[in-house]
Amino acid sequence: MSLNSPENQSSIRKTQRPRLSQRRRDGCTECRRKKVKCDLRKPVCSRCKRYPRGCIYNLSVVQQSPLHLNYQESSIERQNQQLALYSPPQRISALRSCLYQPTLNLSPFLASEESRFFMHVFSTETAPRLFPAAPDFFLQRMISASIQTPHLLYALLAAACSHHGRLIRDSTPNSTLACLKFTNKAISSLRLLISNSQYTLDPQTVTAAMALCTNDVCNGNMDIWRTHLCGTMQLLNCLLRKEKASDAEELYVNCLAKWFMTMDVLAGLSGIRPGCVHDAGSMPLIKISTLNSTNVDDICGYSLDLMPTLARISKLALRHHTYMHTGDQVPQDIVRETEILESTLYSIVGRTVSNATRDSHGELAEELQQTHHAFVYSALLHLHRRIQRLPKYDPKVITDIKNILDAVLHIRPLSAANILILWPIFSAGCETDSVSQRNLIQDRMNHMQSFGMGNFTRAKQLLKSFWASNTPLPWDIYFANLGKELVLF
């Protein structure tokens, strides 16, 4: 079915229907009172320039709450019993309210107006962008733990500072220096902590390392992100070997593992350099055995049983490129394995979101189903093009691209779910010569860029340069020849 067919145009119109206005939790007090979008400019937003006294940014974070949903001290079973007393809408409201209560006892590390402002930005803008469907307890713990943990706090402030600069398109030296200041403080605090002989590894340290690594990718600091990623892997593996203090901590650490694996695997799939720092055959090292749900995951955006297959495809693509470069014949074991991987991918297309995710996220949960489809068909596209080296006009390749874009069409253009599908949409864009498909991809990436994620902007620029080159080279070889490194996270 053509992208311009009446059926698809109807689907596009459905995804573009305006949503009812919702009161925003970010922005200054005046914009929130008027229920209008605030551009978050500091010290005074654009709407309040004539009356600057009303432009106040209230801090909206919370320390570990002693109320109903205390994830640190209550057992998971007790929480489930308490949550069962609520209807689904009340349950969602109760969970989310924990994130946005005013903090009663602020950390001394949040003494400055600048730090409080960027903590507000992180809790209301940056965290929802990085983790659009993550469990509320994960964001709650991350934010609340940072209040008394300097290395984590500074890492989150660095992420918020750079994100805020992209949101308001502020590339001035002051904005850059502020981000560097928080980054340096985070790294210095981490080094000081780890050098202490009495230091015991905790989840906050791994979270800080992951935040720094993610910020490297978003800012395009590709010369240091791999170093941070390798260091993070060592910390995470040490943490996974520790006995967890509670079920709540186990859940939180599992979320950290999925955050790491998502970035790590996609790094390996984003080119022909050895980007995947773990061995795909040692997935249990990062406790994939404890994350064996076949439902679509709310951090990754696809089912976890897809992850080992994605990691294996990245390894095979690298091996296949080596054989092409030397002129040697591709071994039969690679040929046979690609057939097995293809069969595996087709078998997991139908994974669905869990009932808990459906209750918590509503329309977004339905779109997570589509992000999963986009990842599966992108994996097939990489298998067919980068390993089997099928031509672009092969029916399998054409079908893969169509299925990816069909999934994209079922995701609203401004939905937060778009944050999860940078790798699928970039992959489709590199393999299609269709003008209508390229226009659709370009339009969707324009929307994605508005989220203020720097890796989206960089991916869009690279895709445009690839199209303009009209090169006969595959995209992975083309970018490698230019010395361009991608991490489509």
Side-chain angles (χ1 to χ4, degrees):
M1 182 171 60
S2 169
L3 287 171
N4 294 319
S5 66
E7 292 85 354
N8 259 332
Q9 292 300 314
S10 174
S11 175
I12 294 173
R13 286 193 294 273
K14 287 178 181 178
T15 63
Q16 293 177 336
R17 288 176 181 170
R19 301 182 68 197
L20 293 176
S21 175
Q22 294 182 347
R23 184 169 183 174
R24 296 172 61 89
R25 295 189 183 276
D26 58 348
C28 70
T29 53
E30 189 64 11
C31 287
R32 292 171 63 190
R33 184 181 68 81
K34 293 179 179 178
K35 300 182 183 179
V36 296
K37 182 176 177 62
C38 180
D39 63 12
L40 299 178
R41 288 193 177 273
K42 183 187 175 188
V44 178
C45 76
S46 298
R47 290 183 177 273
C48 294
K49 280 185 177 179
R50 292 182 61 190
Y51 306 100
R53 291 191 177 183
C55 192
I56 299 171
Y57 292 96
N58 288 332
L59 185 63
S60 299
V61 296
V62 63
Q63 293 182 339
Q64 290 299 98
S65 170
L67 302 179
H68 318 291
L69 307 176
N70 188 332
Y71 282 90
Q72 186 173 14
E73 298 178 1
S74 299
S75 69
I76 298 302
E77 290 77 16
R78 196 182 318 145
Q79 293 163 29
N80 289 338
Q81 292 172 4
Q82 292 168 338
L83 289 174
L85 301 176
Y86 296 106
S87 66
Q90 290 172 327
R91 192 179 313 164
I92 298 167
S93 176
L95 283 167
R96 290 181 176 165
S97 67
C98 288
L99 267 179
Y100 300 107
Q101 297 176 54
T103 300
L104 299 179
N105 299 308
L106 288 178
S107 163
F109 306 110
L110 284 174
S112 70
E113 179 184 350
E114 181 184 48
S115 61
R116 291 195 297 272
F117 173 80
F118 284 121
M119 195 67 233
H120 171 81
V121 170
F122 183 85
S123 64
T124 58
E125 283 286 347
T126 308
R129 291 290 177 259
L130 289 173
F131 307 102
D136 285 296
F137 78 86
F138 177 58
L139 300 183
Q140 178 196 3
R141 165 129 183 202
M142 183 190 306
I143 294 171
S144 61
S146 72
I147 301 301
Q148 300 297 336
T149 312
H151 51 281
L152 175 55
L153 177 64
Y154 291 135
L156 300 189
L157 292 179
C161 186
S162 58
H163 184 220
H164 175 258
R166 289 188 297 268
L167 280 174
I168 67 172
R169 300 182 181 180
D170 180 7
S171 57
T172 61
N174 286 342
S175 176
T176 303
L177 288 173
C179 181
L180 286 174
K181 176 184 67 177
F182 289 129
T183 301
N184 290 336
K185 284 186 175 183
I187 294 174
S188 298
S189 297
L190 275 172
R191 286 175 177 168
L192 181 63
L193 186 73
I194 294 174
S195 65
N196 187 337
S197 60
Q198 296 182 344
Y199 165 67
T200 303
L201 181 65
D202 56 34
Q204 287 78 258
T205 301
V206 179
T207 307
M210 278 303 309
L212 290 171
C213 191
T214 303
N215 209 28
D216 289 337
V217 172
C218 291
N219 289 334
N221 300 328
M222 310 315 295
D223 54 334
I224 60 174
W225 82 267
R226 194 183 303 275
T227 301
H228 284 167
L229 190 69
C230 291
T232 301
M233 183 183 70
Q234 295 175 24
L235 291 172
L236 179 60
N237 283 332
C238 290
L239 185 62
L240 288 169
R241 285 192 286 266
K242 286 182 59 178
E243 184 177 350
K244 304 305 176 296
S246 64
D247 290 341
E249 183 171 315
E250 181 82 19
L251 284 177
Y252 182 80
V253 173
N254 281 348
C255 288
L256 290 178
K258 290 186 287 185
W259 182 4
F260 171 83
M261 290 188 293
T262 300
M263 178 173 290
D264 182 47
V265 170
L266 291 184
L269 286 162
S270 299
I272 58 176
R273 288 189 60 184
C276 225
V277 300
H278 72 270
D279 181 357
S282 64
M283 272 290 185
L285 180 67
I286 43 183
K287 282 207 169 179
I288 195 66
S289 60
T290 67
L291 308 171
N292 56 4
S293 169
T294 56
N295 291 124
V296 178
D297 186 71
D298 43 15
I299 286 183
C300 305
Y302 49 87
S303 66
L304 293 172
D305 54 357
L306 174 61
M307 194 166 283
T309 304
L310 293 176
R312 191 59 196 153
I313 288 174
S314 73
K315 298 291 185 182
L316 286 178
L318 183 61
R319 279 186 64 193
H320 192 278
H321 173 73
T322 302
Y323 287 113
M324 286 187 61
H325 187 69
T326 60
D328 295 338
Q329 187 174 3
V330 177
Q332 282 300 307
D333 67 304
I334 292 183
V335 176
R336 287 193 296 271
E337 186 169 0
T338 58
E339 295 172 352
I340 295 173
L341 289 173
E342 184 179 47
S343 176
T344 300
L345 288 168
Y346 283 125
S347 72
I348 61 179
V349 170
R351 298 290 187 253
T352 59
V353 297
S354 67
N355 290 333
T357 300
R358 202 179 303 277
D359 290 343
S360 300
H361 295 291
E363 192 170 7
L364 180 62
E366 299 302 323
E367 292 173 328
L368 288 178
Q369 188 80 50
Q370 301 303 323
T371 65
H372 171 75
H373 290 165
F375 269 91
V376 173
Y377 290 120
S378 294
L380 284 165
L381 180 62
H382 279 249
L383 189 70
H384 294 147
R385 285 288 289 151
R386 297 181 65 193
I387 303 175
Q388 295 180 351
R389 294 293 176 181
L390 299 179
K392 286 185 177 181
Y393 54 79
D394 187 277
K396 286 187 176 180
V397 174
I398 294 172
T399 301
D400 293 337
I401 295 172
K402 178 186 177 300
N403 286 334
I404 294 170
L405 297 182
D406 282 348
V408 172
L409 284 170
H410 285 85
I411 298 173
R412 293 163 293 158
L414 293 177
S415 168
N418 287 284
I419 294 166
L420 302 170
I421 60 169
L422 178 59
W423 179 70
I425 202 166
F426 184 89
S427 301
C430 286
E431 302 295 2
T432 181
D433 294 327
S434 164
V435 174
S436 61
Q437 289 180 337
R438 285 186 173 185
N439 287 341
L440 169 64
I441 291 167
Q442 183 73 8
D443 182 62
R444 185 55 62 101
M445 292 191 80
N446 286 338
H447 287 301
M448 294 164 74
Q449 190 176 353
S450 68
F451 293 128
M453 306 301 289
N455 49 336
F456 288 18
T457 301
R458 191 164 180 265
K460 177 187 170 186
Q461 293 169 344
L462 289 173
L463 189 58
K464 287 182 68 175
S465 71
F466 180 69
W467 288 343
S469 71
N470 291 317
T471 177
L473 294 174
W475 65 268
D476 50 352
I477 298 175
Y478 173 77
F479 290 125
N481 289 346
L482 292 178
K484 302 291 187 181
E485 186 171 5
L486 303 172
V487 179
L488 299 169
F489 168 77

